[in-house]
Amino acid sequence: MAGGEAKIDALGQFKLATVLGPLGGSVNFTQANLFMVLGGLLVLALIHYGMKPRAVVPGRLQALAEMAYGFIDDMCHEQIGHEGRRFFPFVFTLFFFVLMGNLLGLLPYGFTYTSHIAVTFALAVMVIVIVTGVAIFTHGTTFFTEYFFPKGTPVALAPLVIPIEVISYLSRPVSLSIRLFANMVAGHVMFEVFATFVVMMAGAGLLGTIGAIGPMALNVALMGFELLVAFLQAYVFAILTCIYLHDAVHLH
Amino acid sequence: MTDQEGGQDGTFAARLRAARARQGLAGPRRGLAGPGIDTPGGNGPAPDAPGQDEPGRPGPDQTDPGRSIPGRGSAVEERAAKRPASQGALSGTPWGIGMRVGTELVSAMVVALAIGWALDRWLGTKPVLLAVFVLLGGLAGVANVWRAFAPRR
Amino acid sequence: MRRFPALLASIPVAGLLLPSAALAQGMPQLAFGNPLTIAQVVWGGMIFLVLYLALSRWALPQVGAVLQARAASIADDLDAAHAAKAAADAAMAEMTEATRLARSEAQAAISAAVDKAKAEAAAEALATSRRLEARLAEAEAQIAQARNAAMAALRQVATDTTLAMVTKLTGTRPGKKSIDGAVGVALAARGQT
């Protein structure tokens, strides 16, 4: 963002562009994908280098890797139950994919791929497709009757209950993706806006420079808040996936 | 819990005391016990949001299965038993709750609008089904919210 | 909202207002006409798949193996501790048993010695009393003998005395036979033979 004729362009940061020169351009490889690869490599590197000592008493990095493992493992176990083991790698991948997107976006020159509704919606749809697949695989077609028309419901209410349940079910990926998307976009838009304020005010002489401390401090505080949100949204995404998986395995 | 040796409260220190009392060994406590070491290790609660305290997390006095000598075989069951069924999928700060409720309502409405609009287009009943599905979407949103905050069985 | 610090409260407000204002400018996220928007999802799917495979096949099992090894070693240590405790308990019990045994043995020895001493003392007492009894009987026999002798002499003395007295009184000498009979009657009357 150029300092001189600063105007609020809060959305430019979300613009996609191909990276890696003509090679990336020819296959439409965007910076979002670059950061996905980066995030994935970071997670793999953490585990690989963390677990290299294979120590019984873990060092710092190994403790971090083990904490990540234990955190998701516990989440699966708590939310899904014994069957949670099977879904553990999936939930782990999902959590860290989202977390890395959220966190890398907070770095300078970072790109938040989780701020793209297309990405979050694709993730959410994937989750719902997998959840539905698990439900059908586990319970067969009884899943549909069980889920969309629960036992004990008066038959007369069927025309009301079934559409509501279907809408409710289909709204899962929407709410899942909108929540993550909205949180990420809001945070980054505010960063950009406050940062632009800083630049604009600093360009307006001494008084403005002093006044620029305000939005600057706000941005620092916001950074802390956004770190929290980054983690929390990844957590929410993962735990809701676990809850949906629980419902799929146990039918409510 | 099949722990026949431990005291009523499961802390290691308490167990140690109980065991000592039973054995008549009233010696000084060794450096083993004490709340200072009981940091959540690999399985502790990870940094949630402050105020987003989840019900059902075992408190700091949880017995680390590795540290209780008596009843070692029951360590796993202990751990499982100490975990009450988590209730109310996500509770949290008022802001978090508001955000969640809003998202649930909006997303249900979005889906309902999409379905209504598509059905209208397909069946040629231009505004009727859209209106019906707006109502259904509202209801589904409420159902979503209820489901999100109702205690899980 | 009331309970929120001003900063936190301002964030949602700004967060709600700004995107709607920004929407007018056109969000790049909603530019579905842009081929890159879809391309990133396709690439993202592939990256996710690769990441999933790498994690589930390669990375996570490593962590799991280490955690399992740790759990196993902890279990082993606990087992060892249990074994040591059991051994100590067994040794303790053994010692208690040995003490008990020794005590009872000593008790038995003591009581046996006491019994033996008692029996010896009783035997000695018996022997002594026998001996005393024998001497007593002997003495009694001697006494009886002496008395009998004395008694026999008494009859002679009585007969002689009676003879002398009767002779002196009557002047006639009675037959020895009648005096002897009278003395015998008198002695019999007194219970003496």
Side-chain angles (χ1 to χ4, degrees), chain B residues 60-75:
Chain B
D61 63 333
Q62 65 170 323
T63 322
D64 201 315
R67 246 178 259 137
S68 53
I69 288 197
R72 176 228 136 194
S74 66

Side-chain angles (χ1 to χ4, degrees), chain A residues 67 70-71 74 78-79 160 163-165 167-168 170-171 174-175 179 228 231-232 235 239-240 243 246 252, chain B residues 42-43 46-47 49-50 54 57 79 83 86 89-90 100 103-104 107-108 111 133 136 139-140 144 147 152-153:
Chain A
M67 202 184 83
F71 177 56
D74 277 9
E78 256 170 64
Q79 299 296 336
L160 195 61
I164 288 178
E165 291 290 347
I167 292 171
S168 171
L170 291 178
S171 74
V174 178
S175 68
R179 186 179 302 116
L228 193 72
F231 188 87
L232 197 61
Y235 175 72
I239 207 162
L240 282 175
I243 289 170
H246 168 93
H252 281 256
Chain B
N43 53 8
E54 242 198 295
R57 287 281 191 194
R79 218 169 137 219
R83 209 160 266 163
S86 43
L90 289 170
R100 181 140 163 70
T103 321
E104 293 293 353
S107 56
V111 170
F133 270 88
L136 289 175
L139 288 174
N144 276 355
R147 213 163 279 156
R152 287 172 78 193
R153 304 128 303 256

Side-chain angles (χ1 to χ4, degrees), chain C residues 19-119:
Chain C
S20 53
L23 204 61
Q25 301 175 28
M27 295 176 88
Q29 290 97 318
L30 298 181
F32 291 108
N34 188 347
L36 294 182
T37 310
I38 303 306
Q40 70 166 347
V41 173
V42 175
W43 276 111
M46 285 193 262
I47 294 164
F48 189 92
L49 186 68
V50 170
L51 182 63
Y52 172 77
L53 289 176
L55 281 171
S56 63
R57 298 281 152 83
W58 173 71
L60 291 178
Q62 289 179 32
V63 187
V66 169
L67 289 182
Q68 228 155 31
R70 176 173 315 148
S73 83
I74 286 173
D76 283 353
D77 288 356
L78 277 173
D79 279 346
H82 265 285
K85 187 176 176 295
D89 282 353
M92 185 80 179
E94 206 173 302
M95 198 198 77
T96 316
E97 178 68 16
T99 314
R100 201 183 59 73
L101 253 154
R103 185 170 296 152
S104 68
E105 247 168 49
Q107 203 69 49
I110 288 171
S111 64
V114 166
D115 283 354
K116 197 177 159 209
K118 268 188 191 159

